[in-house]
Amino acid sequence: MSDTDADTGPAAAPSPTPIVAFFDVDNTIMRGASVYHLGRAAWKRGYVTFGDIVRFGWKQMRFIAVGENHRHQVAVRDRALELVAGHTEAELEELAIETYEKHIERLLLPETVGLAQDHRDKGHEVWLITATPEACARVIAERLGLTGAIGSRIVSVDGVFTGELLGHVMHGPHKATAAAQLAAERGAELADCWAYSDSRNDIPLLELVGNRVVVNPDAALARYATARSWPILTAGVASIRAARRRVRREARAVARSARRER
């Protein structure tokens, strides 16, 4: 059966309300931890020390090998907050653009980027949702033509970052809370929404929506997903094609009247 044949068949009626597809960033849209590359760029600008980069590098290698854990998240979060303290919003935006152009762009996973674009073609809103500082996530979303990004936010006073969090790190159950809030604001039905992630920490987000796909999952998420018969997307060509066919076949398109301008 060809991909075209698999995409044919009766389609569900277009949704009268918006549909949102949520994508994690690290090890889902891209390979590795985005904040590590933000740290490398910060070091080159003199924001952090070489020792900081060595520690970032070790955590990056471990993250790629075994996935994230709570201690890793706390350590990276704290260093990310420290590296922007005392710097301006404009400086962080410049740093985020530089990080994307020099590092993140070449680490994007074309398979999941393609899925995000399939959702966009259906008229869905596509949001990145990540513990990465929101300024960095927003640059990735803009460069990929996605709707927007939800990330960890940092307090600024008169345009200068204090190094303190504004609210919670966008991680674990806080991702699910933020996603539910955004869906409600957009008038989306959670049963029609989608979520993609590689991490067991995103189980609350995955369980929130009606359609979830795990992407190159860590061991704990793989077990959890298998027990519940959730779709699992791996790097294999057949898996990728199956996932994209599923979006094209099963995801409801959004009626033009329900679409929102970005």
Side-chain angles (χ1 to χ4, degrees), residues 153-187:
R153 302 177 66 191
I154 307 167
V155 175
S156 67
V157 176
D158 296 329
V160 178
F161 290 109
T162 67
E164 299 172 320
L165 274 172
L166 181 60
H168 298 281
V169 172
M170 199 54 58
H171 183 250
H174 301 303
K175 272 192 183 181
T177 299
Q181 181 178 344
L182 184 137
E185 291 171 353
R186 311 302 281 183

Side-chain angles (χ1 to χ4, degrees), residues 189-248:
E189 297 289 340
L190 287 170
D192 285 334
C193 291
W194 295 66
Y196 295 80
S197 179
D198 70 294
S199 172
R200 63 191 179 275
N201 295 307
D202 285 340
I203 286 173
L205 171 67
L206 294 165
E207 290 187 322
L208 176 73
V209 298
N211 305 280
R212 71 281 296 177
V213 179
V214 299
V215 181
N216 297 323
D218 60 35
L221 180 57
R223 290 192 297 269
Y224 195 91
T226 299
R228 290 156 180 78
S229 299
W230 289 358
I232 298 176
L233 170 61
T234 63
V237 172
S239 174
I240 294 159
R241 287 177 176 169
R244 297 191 69 174
R245 283 199 300 267
R246 181 178 177 230
V247 170
R248 294 166 186 161

Side-chain angles (χ1 to χ4, degrees), residues 37-48:
H37 298 287
L38 192 67
R40 285 180 64 190
W43 169 63
K44 290 184 177 180
R45 290 179 175 230
Y47 295 177
V48 293

Side-chain angles (χ1 to χ4, degrees), residues 7 13 24-25 27 31 35 61 74 86 88 92 107 114-115 147 166 172 177 190 213 218 228 241 249-250 256:
D7 293 341
D24 178 43
V25 172
N27 274 347
R31 178 170 173 77
V35 74
M61 288 187 292
V74 170
T88 67
L92 180 57
L107 295 171
L115 279 164
T147 311
L166 181 60
T177 299
L190 287 170
V213 179
D218 60 35
R228 290 156 180 78
R241 287 177 176 169
R249 181 179 63 245
E250 298 179 20
R256 188 172 299 275

Side-chain angles (χ1 to χ4, degrees), residues 49-234:
T49 68
F50 181 74
D52 291 324
I53 297 305
V54 171
R55 287 187 289 274
F56 267 75
W58 166 248
K59 292 181 175 68
Q60 168 81 342
M61 288 187 292
R62 179 170 175 78
F63 183 38
I64 291 173
V66 302
E68 65 186 10
N69 57 51
H70 180 68
R71 290 178 60 189
H72 170 271
Q73 280 285 337
V74 170
V76 170
R77 176 203 67 191
D78 290 347
R79 291 305 299 130
L81 293 175
E82 290 173 19
L83 72 86
V84 300
H87 297 285
T88 67
E89 295 175 358
E91 286 175 322
L92 180 57
E93 183 174 0
E94 290 177 3
L95 190 66
I97 292 171
E98 177 184 332
T99 301
Y100 179 87
E101 293 178 346
K102 292 187 176 180
H103 305 291
I104 291 177
E105 186 173 25
R106 62 183 172 82
L107 295 171
L108 293 171
L109 296 171
E111 301 84 7
T112 40
V113 170
L115 279 164
Q117 292 168 343
D118 288 341
H119 280 285
R120 187 186 59 192
D121 292 344
K122 284 269 189 175
H124 299 174
E125 296 189 16
V126 183
W127 287 78
L128 302 182
I129 186 163
T130 175
T132 294
E134 191 167 276
C136 184
R138 190 167 56 244
V139 168
I140 300 172
E142 289 172 354
R143 294 303 178 93
L144 295 179
L146 309 182
T147 311
I150 304 170
S152 298
R153 302 177 66 191
I154 307 167
V155 175
S156 67
V157 176
D158 296 329
V160 178
F161 290 109
T162 67
E164 299 172 320
L165 274 172
L166 181 60
H168 298 281
V169 172
M170 199 54 58
H171 183 250
H174 301 303
K175 272 192 183 181
T177 299
Q181 181 178 344
L182 184 137
E185 291 171 353
R186 311 302 281 183
E189 297 289 340
L190 287 170
D192 285 334
C193 291
W194 295 66
Y196 295 80
S197 179
D198 70 294
S199 172
R200 63 191 179 275
N201 295 307
D202 285 340
I203 286 173
L205 171 67
L206 294 165
E207 290 187 322
L208 176 73
V209 298
N211 305 280
R212 71 281 296 177
V213 179
V214 299
V215 181
N216 297 323
D218 60 35
L221 180 57
R223 290 192 297 269
Y224 195 91
T226 299
R228 290 156 180 78
S229 299
W230 289 358
I232 298 176
L233 170 61
T234 63

